[in-house]
Amino acid sequence: QTVRWHIELQPWASPTPSLNYEASRFLKYISTSQISCEHTNLNSLKGYSKTAKKPWSVCLDERFSLIHRIRSKQCRLYSLGLGNDDNQFELSMANSGCEVHRFDPGIKSAHIQEGRHLWYHRLSIDWRDPNPAIAAHKLHSNTKKLGTVLNEFGHQKIDVLKADVESAEWKILENLILEDVVEQIGQLVFEVHIHWPGFEVSGNDSTVVRYWYSLLRELELKDFRLFHTYKDLSKPQMFLKKEAFNASSCYTLSWVNTRWK
């Protein structure tokens, strides 16, 4: 299998590159569900009390594997966060019998187990592994790619990957696509930030938006379908530092891998 270094960029949205056309195509894309999912709320599962601050929606329809894996106590959630104290979703998944791993570089010990099903790991998931030969990288020895962590933990599959990583999501998503790790994931629930390009995403504005759009189209090619989209109106209405396009700076998007029946 050949290693891919770059994603396939989609054609420009217009004959000549234009931020207006790119933005309107992208915003329409992230605001439109591709399949309907009847049951997206964990409230229907036992042990769920308070409502979470954000709509971390998973698809619990019978035609997909997650609800069956929850019932058989075989499901696994990976949650990527950065010092976020809203862990209601993780607790509810753990209460449902899922094995929950939360990765956050800010926790105090290397690994903490809380209850039967919930683990905290002092690890930051990144789009590259640190290079031990570079002195500066030694500071980041608790930073790893998701594929590396899966190998180290001996996990073949993740039923749900939740990510709230404050603008690192674009490069992490790219890494998951390029290394085919995304095929080991049943559902993706990502918070995406569009008020600036994101960590290590370069280019002018129209190039950045084309890249974002192309990443999401790659997910579609891998049989992921967007089933829930949430525009966070509590966040500044900014799109690449502009108050145009009637966009929030933050959306929560949920996809299901339709290959996972």
Side-chain angles (χ1 to χ4, degrees):
Q1 189 172 336
T2 54
V3 174
R4 293 173 65 198
W5 296 99
H6 303 285
I7 61 160
E8 291 287 321
L9 287 175
Q10 292 291 320
W12 291 101
S14 52
T16 52
S18 145
L19 177 59
N20 280 341
Y21 279 99
E22 294 305 320
S24 81
R25 175 172 71 170
F26 172 76
L27 289 168
K28 183 179 176 190
Y29 193 84
I30 64 170
S31 305
T32 311
S33 296
Q34 295 168 331
I35 58 168
S36 66
C37 180
E38 301 290 313
H39 307 282
T40 60
N41 201 326
L42 285 167
N43 283 335
S44 55
L45 302 172
K46 64 180 180 4
Y48 196 69
S49 53
K50 291 181 287 192
T51 47
K53 294 175 193 166
K54 286 189 186 131
W56 300 108
S57 292
V58 288
C59 189
L60 300 168
D61 285 7
E62 296 285 337
R63 61 186 164 136
F64 299 120
S65 63
L66 180 60
I67 187 64
H68 306 287
R69 291 176 65 83
I70 288 175
R71 285 184 192 135
S72 61
K73 304 284 190 264
Q74 289 183 307
C75 79
R76 179 180 294 131
L77 163 73
Y78 271 32
S79 167
L80 319 183
L82 290 171
N84 192 332
D85 55 356
D86 179 15
N87 62 352
Q88 211 51 53
F89 177 75
E90 290 78 359
L91 291 171
S92 63
M93 290 290 277
N95 289 339
S96 307
C98 289
E99 174 192 324
V100 175
H101 296 272
R102 184 161 168 85
F103 298 88
D104 187 333
I107 63 167
K108 293 180 177 63
S109 309
H111 305 282
I112 301 169
Q113 185 174 354
E114 201 174 271
R116 279 180 58 196
H117 300 294
L118 182 57
W119 286 265
Y120 290 89
H121 308 282
R122 190 175 58 206
L123 275 173
S124 172
I125 303 297
D126 202 358
W127 54 92
R128 62 199 157 196
D129 285 326
N131 180 344
I134 299 175
H137 282 203
K138 292 197 172 117
L139 301 170
H140 303 286
S141 56
N142 60 346
T143 297
K144 291 176 179 170
K145 293 188 298 192
L146 188 67
T148 305
V149 172
L150 282 169
N151 289 338
E152 289 179 1
F153 283 24
H155 294 161
Q156 299 300 314
K157 289 188 167 184
I158 308 171
D159 293 283
V160 181
L161 176 65
K162 172 198 163 188
D164 181 1
V165 289
E166 307 303 335
S167 302
E169 65 273 359
W170 299 111
K171 295 298 283 186
I172 289 173
L173 196 54
E174 182 185 60
N175 168 254
L176 300 183
I177 290 166
L178 292 176
E179 297 191 354
D180 291 326
V181 176
V182 76
E183 289 164 17
Q184 296 171 255
I185 300 168
Q187 299 193 23
L188 291 169
V189 191
F190 268 54
E191 189 171 277
V192 300
H193 301 84
I194 59 176
H195 57 290
W196 69 294
F199 291 106
E200 294 200 19
V201 177
S202 56
N204 64 22
D205 286 355
S206 53
T207 305
V208 165
V209 184
R210 180 195 187 200
Y211 163 75
W212 289 344
Y213 175 72
S214 302
L215 268 181
L216 302 188
R217 287 300 303 273
E218 288 255 0
L219 278 182
E220 201 181 322
L221 292 172
K222 301 265 189 192
D223 294 310
F224 279 82
R225 296 292 177 267
L226 189 65
F227 66 86
H228 188 263
T229 163
Y230 169 76
K231 178 179 177 178
D232 190 343
L233 295 173
S234 70
K235 296 283 172 73
Q237 306 294 291
M238 296 291 282
F239 185 90
L240 292 176
K241 302 192 170 71
K242 297 175 184 62
E243 288 183 14
F245 307 113
N246 193 24
S248 168
S249 59
C250 179
Y251 289 73
T252 307
L253 306 175
S254 300
W255 293 266
V256 59
N257 182 342
T258 56
R259 282 186 206 175
W260 282 40
K261 298 294 187 194

